[in-house]
Amino acid sequence: MRYVYAVCRPLPGPLHADLTGVGGAPPRQLAHEGLVAVLSPVPARDFGLEPLRAHLEDLDWLAETARAHQHVIGALAAVTCPLPLRLATVFRDDSGVRAMLESEHGRLCRILDRIEGHVEWGVKVWLHAEAGGSASAESSSARSSRPRGAPASGRDYLRRRKAQRTAGEEATARAEVFARRLHAELARSAAASRQHPPQSPALAGTGSGLNILNAAYLVPRSYAEEFLELIGRTEGSQPGLRVEVTGPWAAYSFTDDTDDTDDTDDMEGE
Amino acid sequence: MTTASRLPDSYGQGGGTNLADVLERVLDKGVVIAGDIRINLLDIELLTVKLRLVVASVERAKEMGIDWWEDDPALSSKARRSELARENAELKQRLERLELARGDAGSESGSERDRDRGGEPERDRGSEPERER
C-alpha cells in the first residue's frame, strides 16, 4: 500500500537518501500532471482498514506514526512548500495515487499556490497556574487584614478561597485581553491566520499552565525574522504569561480550500 | 532557493517537538483526501476529542482545574465554561462539515457512519451539570 505524506510542485532534486518515513521505509516521489506525491510503501497488515482503526486507538503507535509523518513533511519543508495531507492517507497502489492527483488537481493547485513561499508559525499564550492562583492570591490576601498562615476560621478559609478564585478569574481576563491584542497584531502581519482550540495542558506537557491563545500564522519565508521580532517584543511585558512559538511548520493549518480571511470556513470547497 | 538556513533556529522542531503540537497538526490539520483506505474521518475527529479527554487523567485534570464532569457549579468558572462551549461548538461544526463532505465523497460505509454518530461524547458531558437541580 502507499502512504502519501504530501503533494508538492516538482522538487529541484531527489529526496535525501537517508530520510525515513512511516514504518522506516524511505519516501519517494511520484510525479503526475505537474504535481508530485511524496509517498512510501506501508504494509497492509498495519494500514488496512481494520488494523489501522485499531492502531489509531493506540497512543504509542499514533505518536510514533505522527512523528514519522511530520518528519517527512519537515524534510520537505526545507526544500519546497509541501501541502501536507492528513495522517494516514493510504492508497492501494501507485495508480490510485495518480488517479487522486488527477481528480484533485484543481483543489491541490489552488492551495499550493496560496502557500507558495510561506511557512506556518504557531503561537501560543500560556497563563501560568501560579499567576492565577497563589501569586496574585497572596497579594489580595495581604490586602485583607488577616495575616498569612492557617485560616483562623471556616469563614476565613472561605473568604480566602473566594479571593483566590477572583484573582484567578482576573488573571485569566487580563491574559485574554493580551492574547486578543497579540493575535490582532500578528494576523495583520501574516498572509493568513487561524485560531485553534486551546491545547490541553496534559498533552502539552507538565507545568505549561492554561492555554489562552493557540493560533497559527501563514508567513512569507522572507518575513520570518520580522514576524518573530514582533513576538519577541512582547516578551516579559505581562507577568505570569508565556508566549510560545513553534515552527517553522509546513502550512498544515492553511490547507482548507477557502478564502484567506481569519477563521472563515463556511464552505467545504468543491 | 530556500531561505531555511536564514531562519532562526526552529523552536523545538527536532525530536523534542511536543507531541500535542505534532498531533494537533498531523491528525487534525492537513488536507483531507479520500484515500483507498477510508478510515472514517469521523473516527479521527472523535479520536482527537477522545485524546483530549483521555490523556487528561483525572488527577492531572483536577490539578488544572478542569472539573466539568463533576457537576459542581461552585468549583467552575465562567471563563472555563465559555471556553469549553466554544470548543464544543467548533467541534460540532467540524463534525457536521465532515459528515457533509462524507456524504459527497461516496457513502460506502453508511451503516458505520450511523453507528459512529451515536457517540458525541462532548455534548453529553457538556449538558450534565443541569441534572443535579
Side-chain angles (χ1 to χ4, degrees), chain B:
Chain B
M1 159 206 151
T2 166
T3 57
S5 55
R6 268 190 59 235
L7 291 175
D9 264 351
S10 61
Y11 292 70
Q13 186 81 317
T17 316
N18 108 34
L19 183 59
D21 287 329
V22 174
L23 283 181
E24 180 175 64
R25 286 183 165 76
V26 167
L27 202 58
D28 208 23
K29 314 286 177 281
V31 77
V32 175
I33 285 172
D36 289 340
I37 300 306
R38 300 268 167 95
I39 18 162
N40 203 328
L41 281 179
L42 270 174
D43 285 348
I44 288 207
E45 289 294 314
L46 285 176
L47 186 75
T48 59
V49 173
K50 230 189 284 177
L51 273 176
R52 285 194 183 121
L53 299 181
V54 171
V55 177
S57 73
V58 174
E59 201 181 324
R60 275 285 295 150
K62 273 188 181 158
E63 209 177 301
M64 287 150 13
I66 297 181
D67 50 24
W68 38 273
W69 58 76
E70 284 194 328
D71 289 10
D72 187 351
L75 285 177
S76 67
S77 82
K78 268 184 291 173
R80 269 183 245 127
R81 292 221 174 258
S82 64
E83 178 189 305
L84 278 169
R86 193 171 58 84
E87 185 170 4
N88 196 354
E90 200 175 314
L91 284 167
K92 263 189 231 159
Q93 221 182 32
R94 224 190 286 170
L95 277 172
E96 268 169 32
R97 263 188 289 132
L98 281 162
E99 283 181 313
L100 273 178
R102 264 174 53 83
D104 297 347
S107 39
E108 292 152 49
S109 50
S111 59
E112 276 164 21
R113 175 167 62 179
D114 289 337
R115 199 190 57 208
D116 289 331
R117 212 188 257 155
E120 294 196 330
E122 275 281 301
R123 194 179 45 210
D124 292 344
R125 316 258 177 163
S127 58
E128 249 169 12
E130 324 261 314
R131 220 179 44 194
E132 203 77 22
R133 311 256 145 160

Side-chain angles (χ1 to χ4, degrees), chain A residues 132-170:
Chain A
S134 51
S136 15
E138 248 169 56
S139 61
S140 47
S141 70
R143 243 183 280 132
S144 79
S145 52
R146 280 244 156 247
R148 300 189 57 225
S153 63
R155 176 174 302 190
D156 189 34
Y157 168 78
L158 288 176
R159 199 184 303 131
R160 283 191 195 192
R161 285 257 323 157
K162 182 159 181 287
Q164 241 171 43
R165 209 154 52 216
T166 316
E169 275 165 20
E170 279 169 6

Side-chain angles (χ1 to χ4, degrees), chain A residues 111-158:
Chain A
I111 309 173
L112 277 167
D113 284 346
R114 190 176 52 165
I115 64 177
E116 176 64 35
H118 292 73
V119 288
E120 172 177 330
W121 292 94
V123 177
K124 282 176 283 183
V125 174
W126 295 96
L127 175 62
H128 289 300
E130 315 85 59
S134 51
S136 15
E138 248 169 56
S139 61
S140 47
S141 70
R143 243 183 280 132
S144 79
S145 52
R146 280 244 156 247
R148 300 189 57 225
S153 63
R155 176 174 302 190
D156 189 34
Y157 168 78
L158 288 176

